[in-house]
Amino acid sequence: LTEHNMTDKLGRTIDYLRLSITSKCNLNCAYCKHSPSDGESMLTLAEIKRIVKLFEKSGIRKIRITGGEPLVSDDVFEIIKICKETDGIKDIALTTNGILLPDMANELKKAGLDRVNISIDSLNSGKYKQIARADSLTDALAGVDAAIEAGLTPVKINTVLMHDVNDDEIDDFILLAKDRDVQVRFIEYMPMGKEHDGRYISAEEVLSKRPHLKKCEETQETPGVETLYQIDGHKGKVGFITPVSRPFCEKCNRVRITADAKIRHCLGDNLETDLRQILEENDDDALMKIKAAIALKPERGFCSGFKTNRGMGNIGG
Ligand code: SAM
């Protein structure tokens, strides 16, 4: 195998893979439209091992493990180890609802995981239960502290803001960053599968009412994708991810693999490539086909509204 950078037809360097390792989830969030696929179509551990090797050879340097809920997969430790043992992979992150972190954080760190993003959409236990359909807020918050303890840092808390759901809790979320060194990141809600449903809140709307949020200098880590703010006296930071109001398609460096073995070129475009067919080839041919597939990445996502054929839980976020 020869090593290459992977670029698409627009010259964007693709070095970030979001790998969905299961479609199962221990929550059932109302807005996520997640439906677990049947077991047979799911990626096996052997397939994931080969995928990590081939995508690293194609130029991937950062892997985010996602799902479904990645921590319900029996293979999660092994998958992290595989990534860790793959030389070119410099950053291994995982996106989780955090519920299982109190028991798993230390072992995840030991396996080689660098950091976690934890999704929490309400700090009110009744409302959390309504959104996530499980009474698990206490566990998710304990998960945040367990992740900090275990050194899975910087810990990022992801909150999808929605009108009439959690827009009354914005300042409570910001307070999470007062005494904790975490990044609280507000993500613009994407009405997947619909045109609009009135829930979307723009970053601008939140910022215009909060002049005490002071913009930080852009870092190299996520140039153009998230904008970070600091507040006097706060240990942590507040971030905004703006796929709706300010899409970052021209800077997009990512490719996704779904738990049912499809290369998903773009979150907001239904183009997919069957990865199983590619995995039938020998390494050199498979590598060539992966690169050819990557080159097809659409210029922009969500061109015709949010008409995607999958909910977020079946893509991986
Ligand atoms: N189970 C893991 C978790 O809870 O983070 C990983 C999968 S989950 C699908 C990944 C992220 O997608 C979560 O932060 C979730 O809030 C976000 N998400 C789901 N539907 C969304 C939507 N319509 N718009 C924006 N974000 C969404």
Side-chain angles (χ1 to χ4, degrees), residues 18 24-27 29 31-34 65-70 94-98 117-121 158-160 162 187-192 243 311-317:
R18 297 182 64 105
K24 290 188 204 145
C25 190
N26 48 357
L27 294 181
C29 297
Y31 66 95
C32 188
K33 292 196 204 69
H34 158 257
I65 297 167
T66 177
E69 171 49 46
L94 180 142
T95 295
T96 172
N97 57 39
N117 290 4
I118 303 173
S119 308
I120 301 180
D121 294 323
N158 287 343
T159 302
V160 178
M162 289 170 273
I187 301 178
E188 288 177 345
Y189 168 66
M190 294 169 259
M192 303 292 274
M312 201 70 84
N314 291 79
I315 303 175

Side-chain angles (χ1 to χ4, degrees), residues 266-308:
C266 165
L267 182 63
D269 189 288
N270 290 330
L271 176 69
E272 291 179 357
T273 300
D274 184 9
L275 189 51
R276 281 224 162 82
Q277 265 180 22
I278 293 180
L279 294 178
E280 282 168 15
E281 310 281 347
N282 67 41
D283 280 359
D284 283 329
D285 289 349
L287 195 55
M288 224 169 57
K289 291 199 168 171
I290 288 170
K291 293 180 135 206
I294 294 298
L296 300 175
K297 186 176 169 71
E299 183 172 350
R300 303 200 75 80
F302 301 118
C303 286
S304 42
F306 291 86
K307 295 178 194 127
T308 63

Side-chain angles (χ1 to χ4, degrees), residues 6-251:
M6 196 150 50
T7 52
D8 69 1
K9 60 184 181 221
L10 299 173
R12 292 173 294 195
T13 299
I14 309 300
D15 58 6
Y16 172 20
L17 171 64
R18 297 182 64 105
L19 177 62
S20 176
I21 64 168
T22 179
S23 69
K24 290 188 204 145
C25 190
N26 48 357
L27 294 181
N28 183 15
C29 297
Y31 66 95
C32 188
K33 292 196 204 69
H34 158 257
S35 50
S37 324
D38 70 82
E40 268 172 45
S41 62
M42 293 297 99
L43 287 168
T44 64
L45 185 58
E47 285 174 326
I48 290 176
K49 196 168 187 170
R50 183 128 186 270
I51 288 168
V52 170
K53 181 174 143 198
L54 287 168
F55 275 73
E56 183 248 1
K57 289 291 172 202
S58 312
I60 293 297
R61 295 293 166 258
K62 165 179 169 181
I63 295 184
R64 173 170 301 282
I65 297 167
T66 177
E69 171 49 46
L71 297 187
V72 303
S73 160
D74 294 336
D75 294 332
V76 65
F77 295 113
E78 192 55 35
I79 294 168
I80 292 167
K81 280 184 197 148
I82 290 166
C83 296
K84 186 72 184 172
E85 284 159 10
T86 306
D87 272 353
I89 305 300
K90 303 298 180 204
D91 187 26
I92 311 164
L94 180 142
T95 295
T96 172
N97 57 39
I99 296 172
L100 297 173
L101 275 177
D103 286 336
M104 295 174 75
N106 283 324
E107 212 181 321
L108 289 165
K109 181 74 187 178
K110 249 190 257 159
L113 185 65
D114 291 310
R115 58 204 176 80
V116 287
N117 290 4
I118 303 173
S119 308
I120 301 180
D121 294 323
S122 177
L123 296 171
N124 170 299
S125 56
K127 208 192 287 174
Y128 183 98
K129 194 173 169 186
Q130 253 175 19
I131 300 171
R133 297 168 179 150
D135 196 3
S136 308
L137 175 63
T138 311
D139 295 330
L141 288 173
V144 171
D145 291 325
I148 297 171
E149 273 293 275
L152 293 168
T153 51
V155 171
K156 300 180 185 179
I157 298 171
N158 287 343
T159 302
V160 178
L161 286 182
M162 289 170 273
H163 272 306
D164 297 328
V165 176
N166 57 4
D167 52 344
D168 56 338
E169 294 190 53
I170 296 172
D171 294 305
D172 297 336
F173 273 106
I174 292 174
L175 273 179
L176 286 178
K178 186 164 193 307
D179 299 316
R180 289 183 191 81
D181 191 6
V182 293
Q183 288 179 20
V184 174
R185 308 192 315 166
F186 296 115
I187 301 178
E188 288 177 345
Y189 168 66
M190 294 169 259
M192 303 292 274
K194 301 182 201 157
E195 201 50 59
H196 275 294
D197 60 10
R199 295 229 163 117
Y200 157 71
I201 301 175
S202 70
E204 207 37 58
E205 189 179 333
V206 178
L207 282 163
S208 63
K209 294 178 194 139
R210 292 174 181 79
H212 55 292
L213 297 188
K214 304 274 183 260
K215 197 168 172 179
C216 303
E217 290 207 1
E218 214 170 73
T219 63
Q220 275 316 98
E221 197 201 336
T222 45
V225 174
E226 78 182 349
T227 317
L228 282 178
Y229 292 78
Q230 57 199 12
I231 303 175
D232 285 346
H234 277 50
K235 242 175 138 176
K237 293 196 168 65
V238 176
F240 290 85
I241 303 186
T242 55
V244 182
S245 67
R246 257 180 292 138
F248 39 85
C249 303
E250 71 284 354
K251 292 178 182 160

